[in-house]
Amino acid sequence: MTPRLTRLDPDALHATPGYHHVTVVEAGRTAHLAGQCPLDPEGDLVGPGSLDAQTDQVVANALTALAAVGAGPDDVVRAVIYVRSDERADLSATWARLMDSALAPAFTGAATLLGVAQLGFAGQLVEIDLTAALPDGG
């Protein structure tokens, strides 16, 4: 039986801090999650001014969205993390917090971390965009 996901790092590319350069998905269904924002179920911003609190809420929202389609962090094949900052320390701190979270396996596939000037909601500091290969079973 062929594994559904294969992650690899070509020898000619640089070492990575936890993610893989390439993720191959055998044929199947995928889920493309909308950017997960630091909003509570009522649509209110969580943790104004706190990158840590907002990151935690984004993790919780992403786990909920993945579970809604029968997937989990291990099924994520592509992640893009947006941090409203031009400070490398903020990006590094966000990466470290994500790697210490329940969502950490989602970032072992192809992942991109970006510092951006603005996000969609007033006061929003972080957003995560995920693509997952759905488990068999419909």
Side-chain angles (χ1 to χ4, degrees):
M1 180 170 178
T2 304
R4 193 169 53 87
L5 300 176
T6 304
R7 302 178 199 280
L8 61 105
D9 294 304
D11 291 337
L13 295 177
H14 65 85
T16 67
Y19 64 90
H20 293 279
H21 284 286
V22 179
T23 300
V24 177
V25 180
E26 297 304 318
R29 298 179 322 126
T30 58
H32 301 265
L33 278 59
Q36 298 300 298
C37 300
L39 304 178
D40 66 16
E42 289 74 38
D44 296 321
L45 183 73
V46 171
S50 173
L51 191 51
D52 287 348
Q54 290 194 20
T55 299
D56 293 347
Q57 185 65 48
V58 166
V59 165
N61 292 351
L63 290 169
T64 298
L66 288 168
V69 293
D74 288 321
D75 299 306
V76 172
V77 297
R78 178 84 175 118
V80 181
I81 304 126
Y82 304 92
V83 179
R84 186 172 182 244
S85 180
D86 61 0
E87 297 294 326
R88 184 173 177 81
D90 289 338
L91 277 68
S92 295
T94 301
W95 180 259
R97 193 161 189 96
L98 290 170
M99 294 306 287
D100 285 338
S101 76
L103 193 59
F107 307 110
T108 62
T112 300
L113 175 64
L114 300 168
V116 298
Q118 186 68 40
L119 290 166
F121 292 96
Q124 182 181 354
L125 301 175
V126 64
E127 185 167 330
I128 298 175
D129 177 0
L130 301 174
T131 302
L134 297 180
D136 293 334

